[in-house]
Amino acid sequence: MPITEVVSNAKDLTLTVIGDYAVPVERLWDAHVDPRQLERFWGPVEWPATFIRHEVAVGGESQYYMTGPDGTKAHGWFRFTAVEPLKRFALIDGFGDATGAPDPAMPTMEMVFTFQSTATGSRVQNVTTFPSVEAMEQLVNMGMVDGIKSAMSQTDAVLADLASFAAGRATEAQLLSDTQVRVSRVIRGSAEQVWRAHHDAGLLQQWLTGPDGWTMPVCRVANKVGDHYRYEWAQVDGTQRFGFEGELLELAAPYRAVTTERMADTEGPSTRNELTLTPVAGGTLMSLVITYPTKELRDMILGTGMTTGMETSYARLESVLKAA
């Protein structure tokens, strides 16, 4: 059990949990900012978590749900109020309703996570502050302490699993729900570099070209909310051509952009694409959560070899960044 101390203070309305681990502080930090890793120890053993959004930046938000043994889903959310990389982050933690939206009937809590190096590795301290005695009693009676202990019992295994999250792994797709997929890859480069590569037309035309033999003759970028973008690709021999278009819905440089996407010049349904960039060891974690209008369309697109084509482009992006 990695937890070394759990202290409840009714006078200060706080619950303090401390965990010590035999890994560098950078490894412990990454496990909390990478949604692929965090969801493996945020929920209790019997209630594993799935993160559909996780942005560790001031003003950033997270959305997740935990799935019980009988399939019941319990939703939650974060809103980050402070972030000091490798040192601390603070957030508001709340419950969600059946749609994932904040549930006004349930209390919210303030959480501060502090990370530090130790003689044997690293330590994380989580101080939760409750809004009232009643809220503290309600959540403790719901099994909050036991839930935290169960969840954190899984942390050591995640920290030991370096291979699953390291830079150098190919692009991977994870099913989040019947209509959602998270595409992930660590790209060797800073978040600012990777962000610019996604929003500069000249750079996009160097790397977002898919398999060899294709070019990107049209690259109209959306750089403010409400703008529309259009990308077109063509085979060098002129035999094939296609494109995508959409609208920029949200923008928070250099870590979040949300767009719609559909085949160019069609009236077909759009997907919702949520791009998140997170600095991690070895580079920048690129997470792209795609929401499809139907499960059938999701499965059809995945069946085309989408991630293979994306990997070709992301590998090329790394080459572009290295050359720059």
Side-chain angles (χ1 to χ4, degrees), residues 176-181 290-295 298:
L176 301 180
S177 71
D178 283 347
T179 58
Q180 290 181 307
V181 175
I290 307 172
T291 303
Y292 296 89
T294 65
K295 178 180 183 296
R298 182 204 70 179

Side-chain angles (χ1 to χ4, degrees), residues 34-37 39 50-54 172-177 180-184 286-290 307:
D34 181 344
R36 303 170 303 168
Q37 300 183 55
E39 64 189 12
T50 300
F51 276 78
I52 58 175
R53 179 174 178 178
H54 190 51
E172 297 174 311
Q174 176 185 348
L175 301 183
L176 301 180
S177 71
Q180 290 181 307
V181 175
R182 181 172 64 218
V183 179
S184 305
M286 187 285 309
S287 295
L288 180 65
V289 175
I290 307 172
T307 53

Side-chain angles (χ1 to χ4, degrees), residues 6-320:
V6 178
V7 178
S8 178
N9 187 321
K11 180 180 178 181
D12 293 339
L13 300 179
T14 60
L15 176 67
T16 301
V17 181
I18 297 175
D20 287 288
Y21 303 91
V23 298
V25 71
E26 293 83 359
R27 179 74 191 93
L28 187 58
W29 174 269
D30 281 358
H32 286 77
V33 301
D34 181 344
R36 303 170 303 168
Q37 300 183 55
L38 181 61
E39 64 189 12
R40 286 174 51 177
F41 67 89
W42 184 255
V45 173
E46 301 83 2
W47 286 77
T50 300
F51 276 78
I52 58 175
R53 179 174 178 178
H54 190 51
E55 304 148 13
V56 186
V58 176
E61 300 180 14
S62 298
Q63 295 177 350
Y64 69 94
Y65 62 85
M66 296 183 292
T67 305
D70 62 354
T72 301
K73 287 184 170 57
H75 294 264
W77 56 271
F78 307 149
R79 185 175 69 251
F80 288 89
T81 57
V83 177
E84 298 177 47
L86 303 181
K87 294 181 180 179
R88 68 185 289 271
F89 58 73
L91 56 88
I92 305 299
D93 176 33
F95 292 83
D97 60 20
T99 68
D103 185 349
M106 294 296 291
T108 59
M109 302 156 281
E110 295 181 8
M111 288 186 172
V112 178
F113 289 76
T114 304
F115 300 78
Q116 66 182 79
S117 297
T118 65
T120 58
S122 58
R123 166 176 289 185
V124 59
Q125 174 181 275
N126 172 13
V127 179
T128 301
T129 302
F130 301 88
S132 65
V133 172
E134 294 75 19
M136 186 174 184
E137 291 178 346
Q138 177 186 3
L139 296 175
V140 169
N141 290 336
M142 288 172 61
M144 180 177 179
V145 174
D146 288 340
I148 290 174
K149 290 180 178 179
S150 176
M152 292 184 69
S153 71
Q154 306 164 99
T155 308
D156 276 327
V158 176
L159 296 174
D161 185 4
L162 293 173
S164 295
F165 313 108
R169 288 182 63 89
T171 304
E172 297 174 311
Q174 176 185 348
L175 301 183
L176 301 180
S177 71
D178 283 347
T179 58
Q180 290 181 307
V181 175
R182 181 172 64 218
V183 179
S184 305
R185 191 189 196 278
V186 176
I187 299 172
R188 294 180 179 89
S190 68
E192 289 75 15
Q193 289 175 318
V194 177
W195 177 268
R196 182 167 176 261
H198 279 79
H199 295 87
D200 181 289
L203 290 174
L204 280 165
Q205 288 174 305
Q206 293 182 50
W207 69 268
L208 192 58
T209 53
D212 293 337
W214 286 81
T215 63
M216 191 181 189
V218 176
C219 185
R220 186 168 69 242
V221 181
N223 280 316
K224 65 177 186 293
V225 173
D227 280 356
H228 288 77
Y229 70 89
R230 185 182 179 99
Y231 303 151
E232 292 183 22
W233 293 268
Q235 279 195 315
V236 175
D237 61 10
T239 57
Q240 294 188 63
R241 189 174 182 125
F242 72 96
F244 289 103
E245 61 187 3
E247 180 183 357
L248 180 60
L249 303 178
E250 298 179 32
L251 185 70
Y255 70 89
R256 176 173 168 84
V258 181
T259 59
T260 62
E261 181 181 274
R262 68 181 180 187
M263 291 294 294
D265 302 320
T266 70
E267 297 300 323
S270 298
T271 64
R272 176 184 171 91
N273 298 350
E274 301 180 51
L275 173 71
T276 302
L277 301 181
T278 305
V280 296
T284 298
L285 172 64
M286 187 285 309
S287 295
L288 180 65
V289 175
I290 307 172
T291 303
Y292 296 89
T294 65
K295 178 180 183 296
E296 291 72 23
L297 182 60
R298 182 204 70 179
D299 293 344
M300 183 187 74
I301 297 299
L302 288 178
T304 64
M306 177 186 75
T307 53
T308 301
M310 296 176 77
E311 171 57 25
T312 300
S313 290
Y314 289 132
R316 188 179 294 116
L317 169 56
E318 288 189 324
S319 297
V320 170

